[in-house]
Structures are given as C-alpha cells and as structure tokens.
Amino acid sequence: IDDQGQPVPGIEVCALRHAGMNNHRPIVPAEFAITDSNGVFRVTRTPARPSLSLGPGQFLLAVVPTGCLLAETGRPHKALPLEGIVPTFFPSVTSFRDATVITVSGDEHQKGFEIRLRRGPSTRLQGRVAPLPQTLLPPVARVILEPPADALPITRVLNLGPDGRFMFDGVLPGGYRLIVPPTWRLNARSVWAEQQLPVSGAPNRTVFVATKPTMEV
C-alpha cells in the first residue's frame, strides 16, 4: 500500500536473500513478484535457480522502486511507480538494517506481509561519458553505480547510449562510486573511468565522466 493506505498495483516486490552482515555479499536478490490490481503479491520459488531462490534460508521483503535486479541492462526503461517513493522493507521501514528477517525452512506458505511505502528524497542522476572509442565490440560500454557502504548493497548497471549518455532514476542520498569498465574496442585503445560521486538528494543532477586510456603491457 502507499503512504495513504491505498493499494499499489504493478510494482515489483523483492525477496532478498539475507546472509548476515559479515558476509562479503550480505544481501542479494533472490525472487520478485508484481503486485496485482489490489496490491497483492505472491513470491514463489523458481526451481531452476535453487541457489538464489526461495529455498531454506533467511530473506528480506522489499519494494525497490528501481527494480529488484542487479543490472538494468537489457530491460526497458521504467518510470518510478510513485514519485518520491524510496526503498521500503517489511515491516514498512526504510533501512534494510531495521527490516524483519523472514526465515524459510522448506516448502511452506507464509502470508500476511504488508508493506506501507515511504517517501523521501531521491535524485535523477544523468550524465555523459566521453571520450569513447568510435567502434565498440559487444558487450557495449557500460556504467556501474556502486552504492554507499551503509546502503542496500545492490549495484546498478546501465548500457551507455551511442553518445555516451546514461540516466539512473531514484538515487538516494549518499556517497557513490561511478565506474566505466574498460571498453572492448576495435582499432582503438580501450578506455575506462572511475570517480567518487556524492549525491545530496536534489531532484536532478548532471555529471560528466572523463575516460582515460588503459595501460598496455
């Protein structure tokens, strides 16, 4: 439901596998479901992915407006379902550290998980990466947005447009790291970039990312 108590249809609800905060990858996406017209969701197990799916283990339930997956490459651009909504975890808290851990012991049916979405500041982060080689080999150039150390550890990845432009919606305040991995190139030297990127929570921010050549050995 939204912050007014009304059902929210057509949004993703994520089941995040919780491995404990001392693990190198403490939280990873496991499964997701789309709410129906009444805001109801049902997350079920995918037998084809037993290592990440809803097998025995501990999980967090969350609505992440930008989606549950690690990467956004190959997905159509999605507008935020509700303006100003920030990631919200069961039972309706905005920090994954305060979320209730749900234990799954086997094949079972658990119900009654209600999430009231919360609002907060977020930023549309857009920019351009240049210069890029004129001819790129697959995979195309990408930009990676690594979250702050104390934030939900989901790294976001986008394919760069032909002109090197990119846009991340729903970026929460904090200190991020923006990375352009070395590009695959044809008859041109590979380039890369990395920079620290503080985000204040202003509605919009535009950045320019200058690449530099990789070393050759």
Side-chain angles (χ1 to χ4, degrees), residues 5 16 40 44 66 98 159 163 179 188 191 202 211:
L16 307 172
V40 176
T44 58
T66 52
D98 298 328
N159 287 335
D163 57 357
I179 303 169
V191 298
T211 61

Side-chain angles (χ1 to χ4, degrees), residues 6-170:
Q6 299 300 311
V8 183
I11 60 169
E12 291 184 1
V13 179
C14 320
L16 307 172
R17 182 171 284 275
H18 182 33
M21 296 312 300
N22 293 325
N23 190 280
H24 180 61
R25 296 183 65 195
I27 299 175
V28 293
E31 293 288 353
F32 75 96
I34 305 295
T35 57
D36 65 15
S37 59
N38 296 314
V40 176
F41 63 90
R42 295 175 178 85
V43 185
T44 58
R45 183 177 183 181
T46 302
R49 297 191 295 117
S51 62
L52 289 179
S53 192
L54 292 182
Q58 293 184 318
F59 298 86
L60 305 179
L61 275 179
V63 173
V64 182
T66 52
C68 305
L69 303 183
L70 285 171
E72 298 166 54
T73 56
R75 305 182 70 195
H77 175 70
K78 297 195 320 175
L80 296 182
L82 287 176
E83 184 178 356
I85 291 297
V86 298
T88 309
F89 303 84
F90 176 78
S92 306
V93 295
T94 57
S95 171
F96 72 94
R97 300 180 189 278
D98 298 328
T100 296
V101 177
I102 300 168
T103 300
V104 176
S105 57
D107 292 331
E108 56 185 305
H109 182 200
Q110 299 188 31
K111 60 183 180 179
F113 300 106
E114 182 175 276
I115 303 175
R116 180 185 287 265
L117 301 181
R118 303 296 187 188
R119 295 184 182 272
S122 65
T123 298
R124 169 172 286 183
L125 178 65
Q126 53 192 345
R128 182 169 178 259
V129 177
L132 290 172
Q134 292 183 345
T135 305
L136 293 174
L137 296 176
V140 297
R142 294 177 176 176
V143 59
I144 300 171
L145 186 66
E146 287 192 351
D150 59 348
L152 182 67
I154 293 183
T155 297
R156 299 173 63 180
V157 183
L158 282 176
N159 287 335
L160 289 173
D163 57 357
R165 297 189 182 277
F166 62 90
M167 182 175 68
F168 290 100
D169 262 320

